[in-house]
Amino acid sequence: MYIKALQLENVRSFTDVNFDLERPDGSFAGWTVFVGGNSSGKSTILRSAALALIGPEAGGRLTGSPTGWIYNGQAKASAVLKVKWDREHDRFKQTGRNPSEVFEAGVRWFFEKKTDDLAQFKAVEKRNANDTRIRIAECGPWSPNSFGWFSAGYGPMRRLTGSSSEAMRYSISKEAENRFVTLFREDAALSESEEWLRRMHARSLESSSDKIRIVLEGVQALMGDGLLPHGMKISRITVDHVFVKDSRGVELPMRDISDGCRSIYATILDLVHGLYEVYGVEGLFEADDQGRMVISRPGVVIIDEIEAHLHPSWQRDIPEWLKVHFPKIQFLVSTHSPLIAQAADPNGLFILPLQADTDQVARPATMAEYERIRWGTAHKTILGVAFGLSTTRTKWATQQLKRWQELNAKHKAGVPLARAEAADLKVLRKQLELALDGAPMETW
């Protein structure tokens, strides 16, 4: 399953959004990035897509009250996806004629009466020529009894431990919401997947099942292929802990390493666990043409602010790692990082304006903008249209530069400088020479 297109109408800060997510070559897998400042609506787009993927029942349990989803002053809102299903991996829960290659799945919020304070949250209804309700989504991606239709969503708080008791109920649920809980709840953690891995290990001590062996070896090979820094790999699994060892031979429980490592480890392990639950172990792990362990199953994975806790070098590398090891997954991510944005695939970069930019609308990057970002440096990307900064200097440095320009202009014009001004100019000139590392000061 993939998302071919996304349409929002009157959802929170968006009155009308219509994004086509298909690549120029007709494919969908790869890296699709939504960039914008704080409060630009990145999380709204990702969560709206998630709700349309899992439907109003599962989505309603995750979101709780539907208050706040409808654009101010409007009576209704909707989030509709065009879903492309995979005939090899996706199945509908009932027999009969299958739908066309692409169908719609959507949710809506609405007030039944103008005087209502609480909105309703239900499916977008479509009817055929006989006025019969079309129930494709209910029989496919929204059904807990259908096979395939993999999707998952992760919020910025991707912790390995620390889930509240209420959030834990969603994490252990057999419904679709268990793969989206951190996208909607900050009190949720991704601890269930590590417990799954430890249970697999415990079962391996009692059984010589090939399926259990394939899972344990597959997870270790996949996550040991350059995912974690400093050569960290899963060294051993016990009934109580998953241990990692780095290139120096230092071994620690996974729960004792850095936040960034735990966050990525938890996310990838949860992703593997979800794929296992949906597709089973048969053929799940395979080697690509370069001998790397990969999982070639389709699906949609949503990650909000994937760069959280990651060093810039890891921000640069993690998109390519995910695309290599999950080559058929359509990743939809939001970011404030130019390094994450630069990894976007063709037709995979969407720009969301700040609320203050009332003359701008959410839109895909033009091909020229996309190429400049993909080929440019991180510095130039930050100064470009996607991030909109006019300078990467601090306010202090900008003030110092302005002071130097004023004093230097007076000096060049032959205007006598006061003693304090002359001293300031001398100090600022030395500071700028150090900062410029020998480059002409006129470049500032």
Side-chain angles (χ1 to χ4, degrees):
M1 171 178 67
Y2 298 114
I3 299 176
K4 185 181 187 302
L6 163 69
Q7 183 175 15
L8 305 185
E9 182 179 354
N10 295 329
V11 178
R12 290 189 167 170
S13 60
F14 297 107
T15 56
D16 184 29
V17 169
N18 199 335
F19 289 156
D20 182 355
L21 306 185
E22 187 172 357
R23 309 283 180 217
D25 63 0
S27 65
F28 299 92
W31 205 246
T32 295
V33 185
F34 300 91
V35 298
N38 295 109
S39 299
S40 61
K42 300 186 300 297
S43 296
T44 292
I45 284 182
L46 296 184
R47 291 177 180 178
S48 298
L51 292 174
L53 281 173
I54 63 178
E57 289 191 17
R61 290 191 289 268
L62 283 176
T63 57
S65 171
T67 301
W69 282 87
I70 302 177
Y71 188 86
N72 188 36
Q74 299 297 315
K76 60 182 180 179
S78 63
V80 179
L81 306 178
K82 288 185 179 180
V83 177
K84 183 181 185 301
W85 65 289
D86 187 299
R87 293 181 182 274
E88 179 182 356
H89 295 102
D90 300 327
R91 302 285 187 273
F92 293 91
K93 73 172 184 178
Q94 60 190 33
T95 59
R97 183 180 178 184
N98 286 329
S100 60
E101 190 176 15
V102 176
F103 62 89
E104 288 191 355
V107 292
R108 59 192 175 112
W109 301 260
F110 62 95
F111 294 108
E112 287 188 325
K113 299 177 183 178
K114 291 183 179 180
T115 56
D116 286 350
D117 293 324
L118 184 64
Q120 302 291 314
F121 179 53
K122 296 186 178 181
V124 170
E125 292 191 3
K126 297 285 184 179
R127 296 183 179 271
N128 60 23
N130 298 323
D131 201 35
T132 302
R133 186 180 171 193
I134 300 173
R135 302 172 61 87
I136 299 174
E138 283 105 322
C139 298
W142 296 355
S143 171
N145 300 317
S146 58
F147 179 85
W149 310 103
F150 178 78
S151 61
Y154 303 96
M157 307 295 289
R158 300 179 292 275
R159 300 189 303 273
L160 184 58
T161 59
S163 185
S164 71
S165 58
E166 183 179 359
M168 183 64 72
R169 290 192 297 109
Y170 298 106
S171 299
I172 63 177
S173 167
K174 296 300 182 182
E175 305 293 334
E177 65 260 30
N178 74 342
R179 298 194 301 273
F180 288 86
V181 62
T182 66
L183 185 63
F184 291 91
R185 298 186 63 102
E186 293 184 355
D187 60 343
L190 297 172
S191 55
E192 177 62 21
S193 292
E194 190 181 69
E195 291 180 13
W196 162 73
L197 190 61
R198 298 201 308 270
R199 288 196 302 269
M200 281 288 186
H201 168 74
R203 289 172 58 190
S204 74
L205 301 177
E206 303 172 353
S207 169
S208 58
S209 168
D210 285 342
K211 290 185 178 181
I212 296 175
R213 177 185 56 79
I214 289 170
V215 169
L216 293 173
E217 292 178 357
V219 168
Q220 289 183 268
L222 179 78
M223 301 185 70
D225 188 22
L227 172 63
L228 300 176
H230 313 304
M232 287 184 188
K233 296 182 180 181
I234 295 177
S235 54
R236 58 192 174 100
I237 304 169
T238 71
V239 294
D240 297 314
H241 294 289
V242 176
F243 290 87
V244 294
K245 183 183 290 185
D246 65 18
S247 57
R248 301 169 299 171
V250 176
E251 186 179 63
L252 291 170
M254 178 60 73
R255 299 187 178 206
D256 290 344
I257 63 176
S258 72
D259 286 342
C261 292
R262 289 201 310 269
S263 173
I264 287 296
Y265 160 82
T267 303
I268 303 306
L269 183 57
D270 190 80
L271 177 53
V272 174
H273 183 196
L275 287 161
Y276 166 82
E277 292 291 338
V278 169
Y279 293 117
V281 70
E282 191 69 33
L284 186 66
F285 298 97
E286 61 183 47
D288 67 6
D289 56 5
Q290 297 187 36
R292 299 171 296 200
M293 186 63 74
V294 302
I295 296 182
S296 295
R297 291 290 186 271
V300 180
V301 173
I302 294 168
I303 310 177
D304 199 0
E305 296 186 23
I306 188 174
E307 73 276 11
H309 303 298
L310 301 189
H311 185 274
S313 65
W314 213 355
Q315 294 177 27
R316 179 197 61 203
D317 297 339
I318 193 63
E320 294 303 323
W321 192 95
L322 285 166
K323 287 192 285 184
V324 165
H325 292 84
F326 300 91
K328 293 188 177 180
I329 292 291
Q330 181 184 32
F331 290 96
L332 308 182
V333 305
S334 71
T335 190
H336 295 121
S337 167
L339 297 168
I340 298 295
Q342 287 178 319
D345 287 306
N347 193 42
L349 185 63
F350 295 84
I351 299 169
L352 311 182
L354 293 170
Q355 291 186 11
D357 298 331
T358 55
D359 59 334
Q360 301 293 320
V361 296
R363 63 178 180 84
T366 66
M367 182 56 70
E369 291 168 342
Y370 167 74
E371 292 294 347
R372 280 197 294 270
I373 289 172
R374 186 169 65 158
W375 285 92
T377 63
H379 176 269
K380 287 187 176 180
T381 298
I382 287 177
L383 297 176
V385 66
F387 293 88
L389 290 183
S390 58
T391 179
T392 56
R393 301 189 191 99
T394 65
K395 288 185 177 180
W396 176 87
T398 301
Q399 292 168 352
Q400 297 300 101
L401 176 59
K402 183 177 180 181
R403 174 69 170 164
W404 171 79
Q405 289 172 332
E406 291 171 350
L407 295 177
N408 192 54
K410 287 178 66 174
H411 175 68
K412 286 188 173 181
V415 178
L417 298 180
R419 181 177 298 176
E421 290 179 327
D424 283 352
L425 180 59
K426 183 177 180 181
V427 170
L428 288 169
R429 183 177 287 116
K430 288 183 178 180
Q431 290 175 335
L432 290 174
E433 287 174 352
L434 288 172
L436 287 168
D437 197 23
M441 285 189 288
E442 287 73 13
T443 60
W444 278 59

